[in-house]
Amino acid sequence: MLLESQKCSLISFKHKELVSCVGWTTADELYSCSDDHQIMKWNLLSGETTQVVKLPDDIYPIDLHWFPKNVGGKRQTQAESFVLTSSDAHLHRHSGGARFLIKKRQIFIGKFHLISKTGRVEKSVEAHCGAVLAGRWNYEGTALVTVGEDGQIKIWSKSGMLRSTLVQQGTPIYSVAWGPDSEKILYTSGKQLLIKALQPNVKVLQWKAHDGIILKVDWNCVNDLILSAGEDCKYKVWDSYGRLLYSSQSHEYPITSVAWAVDGELFAVGSFHTLRLCDKTGWSYALEKPNTGSIFNIAWSIDGTQIAGACGNGHVIFAHVVEQHLVWKNFGITLTKRRTMEVRNVLNDAVDLLEFRDRVIKASLNYGHLVVSTSLQCYIFSIKNWNTPLIFDLKEGTVSLILQAERHFLLVDGGRIYIYSYEGRLISCPKFVGMSTDILNAQTVSLSNDTLAVRDKFDEKVIYLFEPLSGKPLGDGKPLSHKTEILEIALDQKGLANERKIAFVDKNRDLHITSVKRFGKEQKVFKIGTMVHTLAWNDTCNILCGLQDTRFTVWYYPSAVYVDKDLLPKTLCEKDASEFSKNPQILSFVGCQVTIRRADGSLIHISVSPYPAILHEYVTNSKWEDAIRLCRFVKASTADEDQTLWACLAAMAVANKDMKTAEIAYASIGEIDKVQYISSIKDLPSKESRLAHILLFSGNVQEAETLLLQAGLIYQAIQVNINLYNWERALELAVKHKTHVDTVLAYRQKFLDDFGRKETNQRFLQYAEGASIL
């Protein structure tokens, strides 16, 4: 999805004093707390504003956080309580929002309060000496963390009982956030950011993040990225290892608030008279200058379409994200209003308006279909007819992800994954033990016509594979496991189901490819790239592109590693990518065009040669003569692509066991030794023998041996192992089948004689005593 020019529609309402914090209960209902001691409820559907409760005069609210909606895997219909942190003295915030100055007295107690949705204070706890500056529930709702002016971090139970004091330092801690696994805490210490694990004896990660005091932090559970805002008038984006990904220019005033959208694709930034909407990579979509004073707190609605801000002049400001932009081939679609989309066909400049009953939450345009989810329904449009969409009701109406394949699409709605056909029919609901949909995004889920891949949340080395039509685990049901954590996965989109491949990037930024077939035997995982930051499969054929280090690379036939590893480097196309600046992202690979988003938000379109895609089509349809003619044509017209296309054809021909074409292709790239071997394969008398030697050519020794044994070609199976110097396996086969033991011993003896060595293997010595070698 491309987000081009995003704007914010603004409405504001007023408390009598500074508004310190806000929090959403549903997508259309918000609570706000102010220094006027009031907790107000705002209903955006009816436009009503009501007072929930008037707090005692000695409670000055500072931070608010609703109890999580998803607890123990069971999703609640709505949050029923929240934690409110406070001070019993009036705090004065200057325009920067950093320093808390005590007006009443120097020694005071900070409390947190557990308050029900109706405004009843269930429990008040004296938590810190000084103001309790922030309080946050973990994602499971099993623990509460509070931080205060006394420099302490405390962990509390769900009922408000103190479990532990995690940190004690000499400076106030202004902000805190839980890590995605609820096992680590991110907090501020002056100009430093620190990540501390809850378990003892784990090293604390600490780094200088800003040149001024850090006021706010946020840590997203989906993308695992960190936001920080400081008195140095900058906001920054970090990864969870403390590496800087983005640093903003200095603003006019200190940054007083930052907050991630739930899905981790956007974040909002608040400052004095300033509200900014940004992409996850840091660049800015939109900037608004409302007359609000400093925005001390920002909260995103559950569906990620609205922002609320707590303002220094007593206002509560609301902003709605619009003008999201989708592009596919010759169609451009823009969300112009909350419930309106504009479709433009650039070929004929035709414009269609799509009106929806409810607010649009998510949309996806691909494979000739537009899928739109609103707060209650899902709409499926065909690009051939925009007037009559298929409509069905959603299960929960909180869609956080839409993924499309050619034949069906996936919705993540609430706590479940649903796969629907483009006719609106529910196909399946895949699930596995411990599945958590909260962290699923386009990097951790991938869908093709016959496979669904989902990376596990709790063990990031594991990928679960499903059949979309049945929702059952693929093959023997065992997941795909890797030796290190996996960051991004992508399934190829074309070809047969038993040839489906998955590419993934691990924590070391190595790119791997493997087959999704899982029937007992562990599939080989091949490493085909290093320092890969982003990747994408082509939508019409199995061509892969990626950005690795400073190079843009296209793997025209990644499956070449299964046929001939030596060919893979010859099937690549590489271009210099230094012009893309730091951290570019591949958005799409449609047809012959790759769309890349640079770190500054600008789009770059790269054209890829059309010939490899044509070659894929010829091979898919077994048009080998046409494939050869294409390679010869390219050789005559573009010398640069000559070797690449012939190398692709050679690998494709061997994979499809067309040795005549393979011989021509290998000869064209000068692989004479392989041409000779292929020529010898063609002269073999039996079909089974030829197939076995093709498998050997591809390095599949075990499969070749099995095929020969099943065909009764015992001697050839033994000879294969002799030629590969697998002496013990050759002897094992000879003894098992009671044939050619003497032949194995003779070859073994000749091998030892050539190197002037004596036999030391007891098994060979044992059989040599009872066999004569001629």
Side-chain angles (χ1 to χ4, degrees):
M1 180 172 71
L2 303 180
L3 303 176
E4 292 282 320
S5 173
Q6 304 211 13
K7 297 179 181 177
C8 300
S9 309
L10 304 177
I11 318 165
S12 60
F13 303 95
K14 194 166 172 57
H15 276 271
K16 296 175 183 176
E17 296 278 350
L18 173 151
V19 182
S20 55
C21 48
V22 289
W24 296 86
T25 57
T26 68
D28 297 296
E29 186 178 82
L30 180 96
Y31 277 47
S32 63
C33 301
S34 166
D35 280 359
D36 62 9
H37 310 290
Q38 291 188 92
I39 298 179
M40 304 290 287
K41 179 169 69 174
W42 313 83
N43 190 310
L44 299 192
L45 292 179
S46 64
E48 295 179 354
T49 306
T50 56
Q51 177 181 298
V52 178
V53 67
K54 176 78 162 60
L55 297 170
D57 290 343
D58 63 345
I59 295 180
Y60 290 87
I62 298 175
D63 193 21
L64 173 157
H65 193 217
W66 282 93
F67 192 78
K69 286 180 171 293
N70 200 335
V71 181
K74 296 181 180 179
R75 198 169 186 86
Q76 299 182 153
T77 55
Q78 60 185 39
E80 296 297 334
S81 65
F82 60 92
V83 61
L84 180 71
T85 69
S86 69
S87 166
D88 66 353
H90 187 218
L91 304 179
H92 171 67
R93 301 168 175 86
H94 65 60
S95 62
R99 306 292 194 274
F100 294 89
L101 304 178
I102 308 160
K103 281 189 173 180
K104 287 174 65 176
R105 61 181 190 267
Q106 293 298 321
I107 300 173
F108 60 97
I109 300 299
K111 299 178 181 179
F112 71 82
H113 314 273
L114 302 180
I115 303 176
S116 71
K117 196 170 187 288
T118 58
R120 186 160 64 93
V121 179
E122 304 286 351
K123 189 172 187 177
S124 294
V125 178
E126 294 186 358
H128 292 265
C129 183
V132 184
L133 300 180
R136 283 288 178 268
W137 295 106
N138 69 358
Y139 292 102
E140 292 75 30
T142 56
L144 171 70
V145 61
T146 61
V147 298
E149 276 193 310
D150 57 4
Q152 294 188 347
I153 298 179
K154 295 183 178 181
I155 308 295
W156 309 81
S157 70
K158 178 179 175 181
S159 60
M161 302 296 291
L162 180 62
R163 287 181 179 170
S164 64
T165 300
L166 193 67
V167 172
Q168 296 186 33
Q169 65 179 39
T171 56
I173 300 173
Y174 288 108
S175 188
V176 67
W178 288 93
D181 56 2
S182 294
E183 296 292 331
K184 293 188 281 288
I185 296 289
L186 166 72
Y187 64 97
T188 69
S189 177
K191 302 175 184 179
Q192 308 278 323
L193 282 179
L194 298 94
I195 296 177
K196 182 174 176 61
L198 298 187
Q199 294 86 1
N201 303 321
V202 177
K203 185 178 179 181
V204 176
L205 179 62
Q206 179 175 351
W207 70 96
K208 182 183 176 183
H210 287 262
D211 293 326
I213 288 178
I214 301 170
L215 306 179
K216 285 282 185 177
V217 294
D218 198 10
W219 194 346
N220 187 261
C221 67
V222 178
N223 61 30
D224 198 25
L225 298 181
I226 292 168
L227 289 175
S228 63
E231 280 195 330
D232 59 357
C233 305
K234 293 181 179 181
Y235 64 87
K236 299 184 180 184
V237 184
W238 311 84
D239 67 12
S240 56
Y241 301 100
R243 292 178 295 214
L244 181 64
L245 302 180
Y246 180 85
S247 176
S248 73
Q249 298 293 319
S250 286
H251 288 60
E252 191 175 353
Y253 297 97
I255 308 296
T256 49
S257 55
V258 286
W260 282 110
V262 177
D263 63 4
E265 293 299 316
L266 303 170
F267 65 88
V269 178
S271 182
F272 185 74
H273 290 342
T274 301
L275 179 63
R276 187 182 290 274
L277 182 68
C278 301
D279 183 76
K280 64 181 178 183
T281 54
W283 59 275
S284 180
Y285 280 120
L287 174 65
E288 298 291 336
K289 288 287 188 177
N291 185 22
T292 57
S294 290
I295 299 176
F296 290 110
N297 184 254
I298 292 175
W300 282 84
S301 63
I302 298 159
D303 58 16
T305 63
Q306 297 171 104
I307 304 167
C311 306
N313 64 355
H315 283 81
V316 174
I317 191 167
F318 294 90
H320 190 87
V321 179
V322 294
E323 292 205 17
Q324 295 175 329
H325 196 57
L326 308 174
V327 173
W328 185 75
K329 294 188 175 179
N330 53 297
F331 290 95
I333 298 179
T334 304
L335 179 67
T336 55
K337 299 178 182 178
R338 292 184 177 195
R339 300 178 178 88
T340 306
M341 281 183 155
E342 181 185 275
V343 181
R344 184 177 295 275
N345 186 340
V346 296
L347 292 182
N348 55 20
D349 216 27
V351 177
D352 292 277
L353 287 180
L354 310 179
E355 300 283 347
F356 301 93
R357 189 183 71 183
D358 306 297
R359 181 177 65 253
V360 173
I361 295 176
K362 287 283 182 182
S364 176
L365 176 64
N366 214 337
Y367 296 103
H369 291 87
L370 169 67
V371 180
V372 180
S373 73
T374 67
S375 53
L376 296 174
Q377 295 176 311
C378 181
Y379 295 74
I380 306 169
F381 296 87
S382 169
I383 62 171
K384 298 176 182 178
N385 184 359
W386 297 106
N387 298 319
T388 54
L390 287 158
I391 306 172
F392 62 87
D393 292 334
L394 293 167
K395 306 290 183 183
E396 297 189 40
T398 54
V399 173
S400 59
L401 178 66
I402 302 175
L403 279 184
Q404 291 180 254
E406 187 178 15
R407 297 176 191 165
H408 41 243
F409 65 94
L410 172 149
L411 293 181
V412 176
D413 185 11
R416 300 286 297 275
I417 294 174
Y418 301 95
I419 295 177
Y420 289 91
S421 69
Y422 287 113
E423 291 76 41
R425 179 174 57 86
L426 177 62
I427 298 174
S428 64
C429 301
K431 58 183 177 180
F432 55 88
V433 177
M435 183 177 76
S436 175
T437 59
D438 298 340
I439 52 85
L440 298 182
N441 60 14
Q443 284 71 49
T444 56
V445 185
S446 187
L447 179 68
S448 70
N449 287 336
D450 45 59
T451 309
L452 168 66
V454 183
R455 193 202 68 187
D456 191 12
K457 173 186 178 180
F458 300 103
D459 186 354
E460 295 182 349
K461 301 175 184 178
V462 172
I463 300 172
Y464 288 94
L465 302 167
F466 300 93
E467 294 176 354
L469 296 181
S470 65
K472 296 179 180 177
L474 200 65
D476 58 9
K478 295 180 180 178
L480 188 159
S481 297
H482 189 52
K483 57 189 176 184
T484 55
E485 289 82 0
I486 295 168
L487 301 180
E488 184 174 355
I489 63 176
L491 288 162
D492 63 12
Q493 296 297 311
K494 306 300 284 187
L496 301 174
N498 61 357
E499 296 175 356
R500 183 71 55 232
K501 302 292 188 299
I502 184 169
F504 59 88
V505 177
D506 64 19
K507 190 172 71 172
N508 299 324
R509 290 293 173 184
D510 292 330
L511 174 61
H512 301 265
I513 188 170
T514 186
S515 172
V516 302
K517 285 194 303 182
R518 289 270 177 296
F519 289 102
K521 189 187 71 167
E522 190 68 26
Q523 293 291 327
K524 292 181 180 178
V525 177
F526 293 98
K527 177 178 167 181
I528 62 172
T530 57
M531 296 305 295
V532 177
H533 303 287
T534 177
L535 74 154
W537 286 98
N538 187 263
D539 66 331
T540 57
C541 57
N542 291 335
I543 298 175
L544 180 67
C545 71
L547 287 165
Q548 51 175 354
D549 206 7
T550 58
R551 304 186 311 281
F552 171 71
T553 306
V554 182
W555 290 264
Y556 287 131
Y557 187 58
S559 296
V561 290
Y562 287 88
V563 176
D564 185 350
K565 293 179 185 177
D566 298 335
L567 275 183
L568 185 66
K570 298 182 179 181
T571 63
L572 304 183
C573 172
E574 293 187 321
K575 298 179 181 179
D576 179 44
S578 56
E579 62 178 295
F580 302 153
S581 71
K582 188 179 179 182
N583 296 324
Q585 291 292 315
I586 296 175
L587 299 183
S588 64
F589 186 6
V590 178
C592 299
Q593 184 169 279
V594 180
T595 304
I596 296 174
R597 175 85 72 183
R598 291 183 12 155
D600 61 2
S602 60
L603 293 176
I604 295 176
H605 302 283
I606 298 178
S607 293
V608 175
S609 169
Y611 298 123
I614 298 171
L615 184 65
H616 273 272
E617 183 181 352
Y618 284 152
V619 171
T620 300
N621 297 314
S622 299
K623 296 181 179 179
W624 297 106
E625 292 296 328
D626 290 341
I628 293 171
R629 276 197 292 271
L630 175 67
C631 292
R632 286 174 176 159
F633 165 76
V634 172
K635 179 179 181 179
S637 58
T638 53
D640 291 343
E641 294 184 50
D642 173 29
Q643 295 282 310
T644 302
L645 218 56
W646 278 117
C648 290
L649 181 58
M652 292 174 180
V654 174
N656 289 274
K657 301 177 176 58
D658 189 311
M659 305 315 288
K660 179 181 176 183
T661 304
E663 189 175 10
I664 295 170
Y666 273 110
S668 299
I669 56 176
E671 300 276 0
I672 305 305
D673 54 335
K674 293 172 183 176
V675 173
Q676 291 175 337
Y677 186 78
I678 292 171
S679 181
S680 68
I681 292 175
K682 290 163 62 179
D683 295 334
L684 293 172
S686 68
K687 178 183 176 182
E688 292 82 1
S689 182
R690 288 194 293 273
L691 289 174
H693 280 79
I694 291 172
L695 288 169
L696 282 173
F697 182 87
S698 302
N700 300 312
V701 178
Q702 189 59 50
E703 290 90 334
E705 181 192 289
T706 302
L707 180 61
L708 290 170
L709 292 174
Q710 289 174 348
L713 301 172
I714 309 302
Y715 175 70
Q716 287 195 36
I718 294 171
Q719 189 65 49
V720 163
N721 283 285
I722 291 173
N723 293 342
L724 294 171
Y725 304 111
N726 294 335
W727 297 110
E728 294 196 4
R729 179 59 179 165
L731 182 59
E732 181 184 337
L733 289 174
V735 172
K736 180 179 178 180
H737 295 278
K738 299 179 181 178
T739 181
H740 296 293
V741 175
D742 55 341
T743 306
V744 176
L745 293 172
Y747 275 105
R748 171 75 170 184
Q749 189 62 54
K750 184 177 183 303
F751 170 76
L752 292 172
D753 290 344
D754 288 344
F755 290 93
R757 307 289 290 272
K758 290 187 177 181
E759 184 62 73
T760 57
N761 190 304
Q762 290 298 321
R763 196 147 185 247
F764 277 91
L765 290 170
Q766 175 188 342
Y767 284 103
E769 292 176 1
S772 58
I773 301 174
L774 301 176

